[in-house]
Amino acid sequence: MVLYDGVRLLDVTGPLEVFAIANEYGGPYRLRTASPGGSDVRATGGLRLGADAALTDVTGPIGTLIVPGSPDWSASIADRELLAQVKRLAGAARRTASVCAGAFALAAAGLLDGRRAATHWSLTDTLARAFPSIDVDPDAIFVRDGRVITSAGITAGIDLSLALVEEDLGGETARLVAKHLVVFMARPGGQSQFSVRLRAGRPRLEPLRRLLDTIAEDPAGNHTLAAMASRAGVSPRHLTRLFRDELNTTPAAYVARVRVEAAKTMLETGTDPLDVVARRTGLGSAETLRRAFLAELGVTPAAYRARFASTGTGVVRNRE
């Protein structure tokens, strides 16, 4: 595990804890941390993390090299010595992984050129613009492309690590680790599961902000174009223009995404029949629910619910 000042604490501790617990179930992992100069580093929140070694002193074959992220990812990619050591160590590693904004360090080190990659949902556009040779997947929780695995934001490092444990030790051990951590073996859906309202940001106009909040608070409410325009105090045509200009979508598509997100939450946390889920989220019927899931996620509601049973390593992008 690579350490450096400003590193996101959970990007470090989450994956390490997965491998540590795997050792309690017979895993062979030997966990080590390394930092520039071997010095202690300050993680987010000002917490101090100790390093086992200097990056320059790490030699020989490495099973898994993990590069965590930082809120100040621009500082990490400006650290030429850090990038040089990451590139060197990756050459000696069986596999190299990044968590969250750690993808920027891998990218700056040239390790993601021509590859598919994931990062935190709020940074996917930034990564794609900064490194156009990378095929950034904006929805994946983690992506494996050859010997390089990149994960989405923060806790997705746990998902990635569970998948690596499953790859190394089998599904049963990975399930035991997940159960011990009280997490799902597979996070249902991709990053698109995260709040549609949050990703919409803060529109400039207060009436539109209030309308988005109302939709999020009551997905099953009356959100026809006419009803929403009336609540916002504008004409239906003007509301359609506002959604296009501010959110790059249509009112109907936005409402549909909110309702699918609400349905996903119900499927993740409950056992209600599909027709009940559809009715309570404003989708109406089980058939409408099915069509909405296929359109938005490419899976049926039943298949989505079933994804709790595995880390999903079988659907991770992998060119080897």
Side-chain angles (χ1 to χ4, degrees), residues 141-271:
I141 296 298
F142 58 89
V143 171
R144 179 163 192 163
D145 192 327
R147 297 189 302 114
V148 180
I149 312 100
T150 50
S151 83
I154 310 176
T155 59
I158 294 175
D159 299 76
L160 180 152
S161 300
L162 282 170
L164 296 182
V165 168
E166 183 176 32
E167 177 183 303
D168 295 339
L169 305 177
E172 182 58 31
T173 298
R175 277 187 286 275
L176 289 171
V177 175
K179 184 176 181 180
H180 192 98
L181 287 167
V182 197
V183 298
F184 294 116
M185 272 283 283
R187 188 194 305 265
Q191 294 198 75
S192 59
Q193 72 186 310
F194 297 113
S195 177
V196 174
R197 176 64 187 94
L198 287 176
R199 285 188 287 115
R202 184 176 174 82
R204 290 176 292 117
L205 300 178
E206 178 62 27
L208 182 57
R209 291 199 295 269
R210 289 199 303 267
L211 178 61
L212 298 186
D213 290 340
T214 299
I215 297 168
E217 290 165 1
D218 183 20
N222 180 9
H223 303 310
T224 63
L225 180 60
M228 290 190 292
S230 176
R231 288 199 295 271
V234 298
S235 69
R237 179 176 294 181
H238 186 54
L239 182 65
T240 299
R241 188 180 308 118
L242 288 177
F243 267 79
R244 183 182 64 243
D245 294 344
E246 296 276 350
L247 306 176
N248 194 32
T249 189
T250 66
Y254 182 84
V255 171
R257 285 202 299 272
V258 171
R259 286 172 170 169
V260 167
E261 181 183 54
K264 287 161 67 176
T265 299
M266 289 189 67
L267 292 172
E268 294 164 17
T269 59
T271 58

Side-chain angles (χ1 to χ4, degrees), residues 30-99:
R30 184 168 175 259
L31 308 180
R32 292 292 181 269
T33 58
S35 69
S39 303
D40 291 355
V41 302
R42 289 286 182 181
T44 48
L47 295 172
R48 179 182 294 175
L49 298 177
D52 296 312
L55 288 169
T56 53
D57 292 339
V58 179
T59 58
I62 300 170
T64 305
L65 174 71
I66 301 179
V67 180
S70 168
D72 187 10
W73 57 265
S74 59
S76 65
I77 67 172
D79 189 333
R80 294 188 176 182
E81 179 58 25
L82 174 65
L83 298 181
Q85 291 304 317
V86 166
K87 186 172 184 177
R88 179 184 69 84
L89 294 173
R94 179 167 63 92
R95 58 196 179 194
T96 298
S98 67
V99 180

Side-chain angles (χ1 to χ4, degrees), residues 67-69 98-108 112 117-119 127 131 134 150-151:
V67 180
S98 67
V99 180
C100 194
F104 283 86
L106 295 192
L112 296 181
T119 189
L127 182 64
F131 300 95
I134 301 172
T150 50
S151 83

